[in-house]
Amino acid sequence: MPANDIYMKRACEIAFTMMGKTSPNPAVGAVIVKNNNIIGEGGTGKYGGDHAEVTAIKNARKRGNDIEGASIYVSLEPCSHHGKTPPCTDAIIKSGIKKVFTPLLDPNPLVSGNGIRQLADAGIEIKIMHKHFSSASDLVRGFKKYILRNRPFIINKCAMTLDGRIAATSGDSKWISNTFTRLFVHKLRAKVDAVIIGKNTFMKDNPMLNVRFDEFDDDTKKFFSVNTPKISGRENFFLEKLLKDDIPDYREPLRVMIGIPEIIPAGSNFFRDNNYIIIAGENEYRDAVNMNPELKSFYEGLNIAVKRFNSNDESIGFVMETLKDRGVMTALLEGGGTVNGSFFNAGEIDQFIYVIAPKVLGSGISPINGERTEKISDSLILRDISTVMIDNNMLINGYKEEYNFEMM
């Protein structure tokens, strides 16, 4: 692999390590190179902290390296505007860096193309690495929706039987998928800001909705490094890193419940700490309290967002608005068919990660209980498809939209 490709791949790898910890900023990686040696590197910090370019510059100086005349490889166009921090373009210009390599324009309208122009106007050479566009774009899909549409990016994760059931008619679903794909899901949780369920899942499963790598034995954890699954279809960098990499450092996702449960079982895992929110309709909340007056005082002490709405689109719109206001950029939808159907009907599922197990139930619960459709031609056709066999389970990944090429 040519040296330039190695450096940009490393920048993308750093960006991946930061995913789930930078929202609502994008996860970006930067590598500074001089005389064919990496002299500094860094990733975007938590919101309000240094961006990747500044972190890399500080890292190079901390190592005692002279940055004058160096090159920097950045997985996303350097920002050129004042936000929580000064523009990264200013830091690059002042540092003495003479070349900037990037594969992707920042989708933020305040930046898109302006960062490159400012650097070029300052006499810095710009190299566009089109070859790495696909890898870099896989890491910022969530940010793109968040910044352009003011909504979180929603990933719908399901495990299903070969005949398309996520649970038996009784609601039992443990376990459809194998232990290796379940480990994959915990890796995925480590890279999102929130996990969403409906009230029925809460009452039926008493879920933890956290990252629990300690539940998997060493043989399971070694599976992905010893038997690295091969991705077919589109080479998805985000998917590849989830499969291959250990994730030692992560932030627990926000737990989100849609709807008001009529019963709150004692010791519910959902309420074990303050990292949760319930989002519900005003009428549903009022009816639940009227039916169970003893719950009123309990609900008054909860993190709960309530609003009146008259349609499914308004309901999901309120969910998206509430999560966006809390800085949630990417959320994992782990609900049942009803909740999944509500998001699907509202057009708010952006990525589908479905695991298909070699099991046939013959009846049971479907992954999406959406509105009635009459024609196959009305189907949502997914884009940028990737598939991978994880032992005897097949994982299929697809997006509602392609990430179109955007570069000057």
Side-chain angles (χ1 to χ4, degrees), residues 10 31-32 37-42 56-66:
R10 176 58 185 156
V31 173
I32 300 175
N37 292 309
I38 295 177
I39 63 171
E41 60 180 30
I57 290 169
K58 289 182 177 179
N59 177 255
R61 287 172 175 159
K62 185 177 181 180
R63 296 185 190 184
N65 293 317
D66 178 17

Side-chain angles (χ1 to χ4, degrees), residues 280-300:
E282 187 177 285
N283 292 340
E284 181 185 19
Y285 176 78
R286 185 183 62 247
D287 291 345
V289 170
N290 289 341
M291 290 174 59
N292 301 278
E294 69 278 5
L295 291 178
K296 187 174 189 299
S297 59
F298 178 78
Y299 279 131
E300 287 176 346

Side-chain angles (χ1 to χ4, degrees), residues 178-189:
N178 64 36
T179 185
F180 308 114
T181 54
R182 293 198 294 275
L183 172 57
F184 173 88
V185 169
H186 282 267
K187 290 184 173 185
L188 181 57
R189 284 182 180 176

